[in-house]
Every structure is written in structure tokens, then in C-alpha cells.
Amino acid sequence: MATAFSKQSMLQLYRTVLKLHKRVLPQEMRELGDKYVRSEFKAHKSARIGQVKEFAKQWKEYVQTIDQQAQKGEFGAALDSKKASFLSEDQKENLARLEREARK
């Protein structure tokens, strides 16, 4: 990840997400989520600063969302079309793969 954005803060965010998964997600969701988190953080190691800032912002929102959903006991939400329009082809493929895995 871009060095201008603290490597330590990104590592802390990564750990926060994994700890949240461990604390609140059912085993099947946790396994799938952990794999996805690892691949996304690894893929963004060499991202530009603007991308890293947006990446971190989105993961922080994810942490808040999952925490709120855990309190309600229900996980998941539909991806709105505005956010879906910003996904790269790789992200769309990853999302489709995750959806297939989740439906197994």
C-alpha cells in the first residue's frame, strides 16, 4: 500500500476486520470473509494513495455495518446500483464468485 498512508494503520484495519469476523460471524461466513479480506488487502499493497484512502474508508464502513448487523442478528445487504457501477471487472468477478460460494 502506498507508503504516504500509514502501513501501520492499514495493518491495524486489517486486524480489526479479521477480529470482527472472529467475534461475530458464523463459521462459514467467517471463512469466506477472511479469504476475501486477505485477497483484497494483498491486492491493494501497491495501490496509489487515493485508492488506498478510498479502500480504507470502505473497509471502515464495512466494520461499522457488520457490527450493526451483528447486533441485529442479521447479516447482509443488497449492493446498490450506484456502488456497483464503481466496481472494476475484477471486483465484479470476485463478487460473483463470492455469491456462488455463499449459495453452495
Side-chain angles (χ1 to χ4, degrees):
M1 288 173 215
T3 55
F5 201 79
S6 170
K7 189 174 182 179
Q8 188 170 349
S9 68
M10 294 306 294
L11 183 58
Q12 182 61 41
L13 179 57
Y14 175 75
R15 288 179 180 154
T16 298
V17 173
L18 293 178
K19 285 178 186 177
L20 177 67
H21 283 184
K22 185 175 184 177
R23 184 171 50 90
V24 303
L25 293 181
Q27 185 63 30
E28 317 79 51
M29 290 178 75
R30 179 180 167 202
E31 289 173 6
L32 186 61
D34 287 355
K35 286 179 188 176
Y36 183 72
V37 170
R38 285 184 186 103
S39 82
E40 283 297 299
F41 273 78
K42 186 176 183 177
H44 284 79
K45 278 186 175 182
S46 60
R48 293 181 301 217
I49 188 66
Q51 293 170 319
V52 172
K53 285 181 179 180
E54 183 62 27
F55 179 80
K57 177 182 169 233
Q58 293 297 322
W59 279 106
K60 287 175 185 177
E61 288 177 12
Y62 170 82
V63 167
Q64 291 175 344
T65 299
I66 294 299
D67 213 16
Q68 290 169 355
Q69 290 176 354
Q71 291 173 15
K72 294 178 185 175
E74 295 181 15
F75 295 101
L79 180 64
D80 67 54
S81 58
K82 182 179 178 185
K83 286 186 179 180
S85 70
F86 290 108
L87 296 176
S88 70
E89 285 305 313
D90 284 344
Q91 289 170 320
K92 289 176 184 176
E93 289 173 19
N94 279 340
L95 188 58
R97 182 179 49 80
L98 286 170
E99 185 175 14
R100 286 191 303 273
E101 288 292 321
R103 294 184 188 276
K104 283 185 180 179

